[in-house]
Amino acid sequence: MEQNPKSLRMWIIICLLFILGQAMENDRDFKMCGTWRHGNASRNLKYDLKTGCKEIEISANESTLSIEGSITAMCTRSSSIPLISNPLQNQSHFCVLWEPLLDLLIVQVNGTNHTLCESHGLQKNCCTDLSQGIHTSAALYGIVKGSTQGDIIRYDAMEVYRFRGDTINCKEKFCDEASQKHSGANMIEEVVMKSNKTGHVDLPCAESTIIEMKEGFTGLNFTLRTQTVAPNMTPSVYLPSCLKSQSRDTSKVVCTYFQKKTLFQRDSYDLLGGIVGLSVENEIIKNLPEPVRIRFHHSAIPPNHSRSCVSWDTRRDNEVTWRYDGCDTVKIHDTETECCCNHLTYFAILVQVEQKATVRHLQTLTFITAVGCAVSLVSCLVLFYWLCNRRGKKTQISLVHRGLVVAIFLLCLFFILTGTLANVGNETVCKMTGSLLHYALLSTLCWMAMEVFHTFLLIRKVFTSTLPTWIFYLVGFGLPFLLVGILLSIQDIYVVDIYGKREIVPSDDVNSSYRMCWMLENEKSLLAHYIINVGLLAVVVSSGAIMLFLVVREIRNRPDWKKIHVAFLSIWGLTCLFGTTWGLGFLDFGPMSETILFLFCIINSLQGFFLMLRYYALEQMKKKDRSLSDGSSSGSSKQHMLQTHEKS
């Protein structure tokens, strides 16, 4: 059966008009625009608005543009507004803007806004889905090129446009629309801001608290109001005083809590609890000198998972992208986390499977190190007693040795305590123990550097031995105190933990981790570790190796150097004294890494024991030399080789 081409085109046009009509009916907000053809005399805007949901009439004649009808939820107003007239102008462009969720109706005439109904909060039931009714044509004056949502209805002049509405749940429809768009969260905050209300604003998909910051704002700590979450699980927010702009008398802050994650869960992100959005009216807030603090309450996470504060900056990323930038994570409790952020946007807690670095033979190495530290602990006590009761106990070299012995004693003591306190002590005790262990490590490295420096002064005779001893003690004990103090102050200023409970996972059993009180694995702790710990260790090891080479070159031509045991004791004793054995930590790679790891733990944990043996060997050789010597200086060559750096 053949079909007339004109009839086919007619059917296509009818279908397109039907589709456009349906699209218009699905629009929640209403926008009707056109050109008002009028006379040259004075003109006015007349309106008569009532509550209900029947229809709205938009009409125009020679001198009056009228808005009449029953579509508002709370607004009942009737008046007339005189418009600016120009005798040379016989037409004006206008738009009628209706936002049913806000109960807000605005008429624009030649770019000037006239608010006929002001917003008084978000409306649950409202009149929307305005569809076309029966329109009335005009002869000369009226509305030409009338359009809705940008689609032309009629090109010719019309006297009256009529639109019928339906009552729906506006809040639910708005949330449905927002969930379909990537900028849905922004839509919600904009509508809340336009509601012209302070206090609590609730939607099915979000609940907002609007706070007005006035002159003299000194900061505010408050708990978000929400009806969908238990009171003990509701987030709290701290707004600093720097959030208030000095150039404005008042500013509004919108704090929105999103319990449902559909607006944000577009990828495989696992968010813990809800999302909090913060924004200031007509301002972009970033790089705050004092951070905003959002405290989340949530369920406990599995042991092999980590939690981090993240934010989604909608001005930077169109799609949902959670970033760690600008936020520090403070773990208050297993079920409580605080985010300290220097900007305003959307914040959440991101949960991820924690990929912890594993350590080979962790239990064996821990046992070896603990036994070695216990032996060194006793050895340091014995050695300190010998140094305090020997002849010449007040010489500078003896005082320098004593400083190193005390530092090694403290290092071994706190290392033995750290594992126990990490398991039985609270978070505060663990932070203190971690900082003390770090201080003892830095003090040990500094005293090794002082041994190298003192040997340099004596062997090379750059200075005399009259250099004040307090300088060595200032560097050995004072410099580590300063460094640890700076890290603790950073911890307080930036509200980020440097020290705390650290877990080390064995490669053979990832479920039985070893806990210790030490520096954490966050960004600032790792930065401090590489700059302070690794940097100081590199200086000590390199300078110790150079000094060892210089000492060996000084004594290698002496007759007793050819005796193997004398050469070995000389090199080994000075190697322990100068901290060169700590350089094994830089060789933990390649096929020999496991051997290097065991040697590192054995040698360095027994460092106090080796220093005691060195001192004992020196004393025995002194006694032997005194028994063989008749007063000549030739009998002290062995002692000279072992104690070259101690000559004065």
Side-chain angles (χ1 to χ4, degrees):
M1 179 178 178
E2 294 185 1
Q3 190 171 4
N4 192 330
K6 291 184 178 179
S7 300
L8 180 61
R9 285 197 297 271
M10 183 62 69
W11 278 108
I12 293 174
I13 291 172
I14 291 173
C15 291
L16 288 173
L17 290 174
F18 177 77
I19 293 171
L20 289 173
Q22 289 296 108
M24 187 197 74
E25 290 180 0
N26 289 331
D27 285 324
R28 175 178 48 82
D29 295 341
F30 174 77
K31 181 179 181 180
M32 190 272 176
C33 296
T35 301
W36 173 24
R37 187 183 294 168
H38 49 72
N40 296 328
S42 60
R43 299 180 295 277
N44 59 79
L45 172 63
K46 180 183 177 182
Y47 59 95
D48 184 11
L49 301 170
K50 298 180 177 65
T51 59
C53 189
K54 294 181 180 179
E55 68 174 10
I56 181 172
E57 289 186 0
I58 303 172
S59 61
N61 55 33
E62 182 180 4
S63 61
T64 303
L65 176 65
S66 299
I67 313 295
E68 299 177 351
S70 173
I71 60 169
T72 65
M74 299 177 63
C75 176
T76 301
R77 297 187 66 184
S78 177
S79 184
S80 179
I81 302 174
L83 302 175
I84 299 175
S85 301
N86 185 350
L88 302 178
Q89 184 181 4
N90 59 5
Q91 61 182 19
S92 301
H93 183 267
F94 77 94
C95 285
V96 178
L97 308 174
W98 167 238
E99 295 189 46
L101 179 63
L102 298 170
D103 206 26
L104 175 66
L105 197 150
I106 299 174
V107 176
Q108 293 179 347
V109 181
N110 290 330
T112 303
N113 286 352
H114 303 277
T115 302
L116 307 188
C117 286
E118 296 181 351
S119 173
H120 291 88
L122 304 185
Q123 307 302 316
K124 181 179 180 181
N125 296 317
C126 57
C127 188
T128 183
D129 288 346
L130 298 182
S131 59
Q132 297 184 36
I134 299 174
H135 309 314
T136 304
S137 59
L140 178 60
Y141 300 110
I143 302 170
V144 297
K145 295 182 181 179
S147 66
T148 56
Q149 315 300 124
D151 299 320
I152 297 293
I153 303 173
R154 296 285 295 269
Y155 282 95
D156 53 338
M158 302 294 294
E159 182 182 357
V160 181
Y161 280 95
R162 295 181 178 88
F163 300 93
R164 297 187 300 270
D166 292 323
T167 301
I168 65 168
N169 190 318
C170 256
K171 291 184 177 181
E172 289 185 357
K173 184 169 184 178
F174 174 72
C175 285
D176 291 340
E177 290 179 5
S179 62
Q180 302 300 320
K181 299 181 180 180
H182 74 270
S183 60
N186 285 350
M187 288 174 54
I188 291 173
E189 288 199 339
E190 288 173 4
V191 165
V192 171
M193 193 71 75
K194 289 169 66 176
S195 67
N196 195 27
K197 182 180 179 182
T198 56
H200 184 67
V201 178
D202 67 291
L203 285 166
C205 52
E207 296 181 72
S208 297
T209 301
I210 304 176
I211 295 170
E212 193 172 57
M213 298 185 297
K214 298 181 180 180
E215 288 289 341
F217 180 73
T218 58
L220 180 65
N221 198 350
F222 64 97
T223 301
L224 294 176
R225 289 178 56 189
T226 173
Q227 301 174 1
T228 58
V229 181
N232 61 332
M233 299 296 288
T234 305
S236 60
V237 177
Y238 169 73
L239 303 176
S241 59
C242 58
L243 202 60
K244 169 69 173 62
S245 174
Q246 299 297 324
S247 60
R248 304 179 65 178
D249 294 334
T250 60
S251 299
K252 284 185 179 180
V253 183
V254 176
C255 308
T256 306
Y257 180 67
F258 302 88
Q259 173 63 18
K260 297 181 180 179
K261 306 172 188 176
T262 52
L263 292 166
F264 304 90
Q265 203 87 15
R266 285 176 170 75
D267 289 315
S268 57
Y269 297 110
D270 188 7
L271 301 179
L272 187 63
I275 297 97
V276 173
L278 297 176
S279 63
V280 174
E281 183 181 19
N282 300 324
E283 289 187 51
I284 297 175
I285 305 296
K286 57 183 180 179
N287 299 325
L288 290 170
E290 182 183 359
V292 294
R293 299 199 295 266
I294 308 104
R295 183 167 295 192
F296 291 91
H297 303 270
H298 48 77
S299 56
I301 62 174
N304 60 334
H305 286 64
S306 64
R307 46 184 160 144
S308 303
C309 293
V310 291
S311 64
W312 171 35
D313 190 348
T314 56
R315 292 175 296 275
R316 179 177 178 182
D317 304 300
N318 291 328
E319 296 295 331
V320 178
T321 305
W322 294 108
R323 299 181 182 273
Y324 301 96
D325 303 347
C327 284
D328 292 322
T329 305
V330 181
K331 299 172 183 177
I332 307 295
H333 192 265
D334 291 342
T335 59
E336 194 173 346
T337 305
E338 187 172 78
C339 298
C340 302
C341 305
N342 63 2
H343 61 292
L344 297 191
T345 183
Y346 303 100
F347 305 98
I349 304 294
L350 181 65
V351 179
Q352 292 176 310
V353 178
E354 195 167 15
Q355 303 294 335
K356 294 182 179 179
T358 58
V359 178
R360 307 174 303 277
H361 312 293
L362 178 62
Q363 291 183 342
T364 305
L365 291 172
T366 303
F367 177 77
I368 291 173
T369 307
V371 172
C373 285
V375 173
S376 289
L377 205 63
V378 176
S379 301
C380 286
L381 290 174
V382 175
L383 181 55
F384 189 81
Y385 175 79
W386 284 348
L387 290 172
C388 291
N389 290 277
R390 62 172 286 184
R391 287 187 302 171
K393 60 184 178 182
K394 293 186 178 181
T395 60
Q396 192 174 79
I397 190 63
S398 178
L399 294 173
V400 172
H401 285 344
R402 275 188 246 175
L404 176 60
V405 170
V406 171
I408 294 176
F409 175 83
L410 293 176
L411 179 62
C412 294
L413 176 64
F414 289 124
F415 184 84
I416 292 173
L417 293 176
T418 183
T420 303
L421 294 177
N423 287 291
V424 301
N426 57 29
E427 194 69 25
T428 303
V429 172
C430 200
K431 288 180 182 179
M432 292 178 58
T433 306
S435 61
L436 290 173
L437 178 60
H438 190 208
Y439 171 79
L441 174 65
L442 296 179
S443 181
T444 300
L445 294 176
C446 287
W447 273 112
M448 290 174 182
M450 290 300 95
E451 291 281 4
V452 173
F453 179 65
H454 191 264
T455 304
F456 174 78
L457 294 181
L458 298 179
I459 296 297
R460 305 303 298 172
K461 296 182 179 179
V462 176
F463 300 100
T464 65
S465 58
T466 57
L467 190 69
T469 306
W470 64 264
I471 293 179
F472 295 94
Y473 277 77
L474 180 65
V475 177
F477 290 128
L479 180 60
F481 182 82
L482 176 64
L483 294 174
V484 173
I486 291 174
L487 293 180
L488 290 174
S489 63
I490 291 175
Q491 180 174 271
D492 293 334
I493 293 173
Y494 294 97
V495 199
V496 57
D497 289 335
I498 301 292
Y499 305 102
K501 193 175 295 184
R502 176 88 171 264
E503 291 189 5
I504 304 173
V505 181
S507 58
D508 52 350
D509 185 9
V510 295
N511 294 319
S512 60
S513 58
Y514 171 75
R515 294 183 178 89
M516 66 178 297
C517 300
W518 181 236
M519 302 179 75
L520 299 175
E521 293 182 289
N522 55 52
E523 182 180 351
K524 287 185 172 57
S525 295
L526 290 175
L527 183 64
H529 168 71
Y530 286 113
I531 293 177
I532 298 176
N533 299 349
V534 178
L536 183 57
L537 181 62
V539 171
V540 170
V541 171
S542 58
S543 60
I546 294 172
M547 183 52 59
L548 183 63
F549 170 76
L550 294 176
V551 172
V552 170
R553 192 177 65 174
E554 286 285 333
I555 65 176
R556 62 189 175 89
N557 294 323
R558 298 187 178 275
D560 281 354
W561 178 258
K562 301 186 184 298
K563 295 181 180 181
I564 296 177
H565 72 283
V566 175
F568 173 77
L569 287 175
S570 297
I571 295 175
W572 180 248
L574 293 175
T575 298
C576 293
L577 195 68
F578 295 158
T580 315
T581 55
W582 288 76
L584 291 170
F586 295 112
L587 304 177
D588 184 19
F589 61 88
M592 296 291 292
S593 61
E594 290 192 5
T595 304
I596 295 295
L597 197 59
F598 273 90
L599 287 175
F600 179 86
C601 292
I602 294 171
I603 295 174
N604 291 316
S605 65
L606 290 171
Q607 191 167 18
F609 175 70
F610 291 140
L611 291 179
M612 184 190 71
L613 288 182
R614 175 182 178 275
Y615 180 84
Y616 178 78
L618 285 173
E619 290 299 313
Q620 292 300 314
M621 294 182 70
K622 279 184 186 179
K623 292 178 181 179
K624 186 176 180 181
D625 284 345
R626 278 196 293 268
S627 64
L628 296 176
S629 176
D630 56 355
S632 65
S633 60
S634 61
S636 60
S637 60
K638 288 183 181 179
Q639 177 186 348
H640 186 82
M641 281 181 278
L642 282 172
Q643 206 178 7
T644 302
H645 72 292
E646 294 184 6
K647 66 182 181 180
S648 58

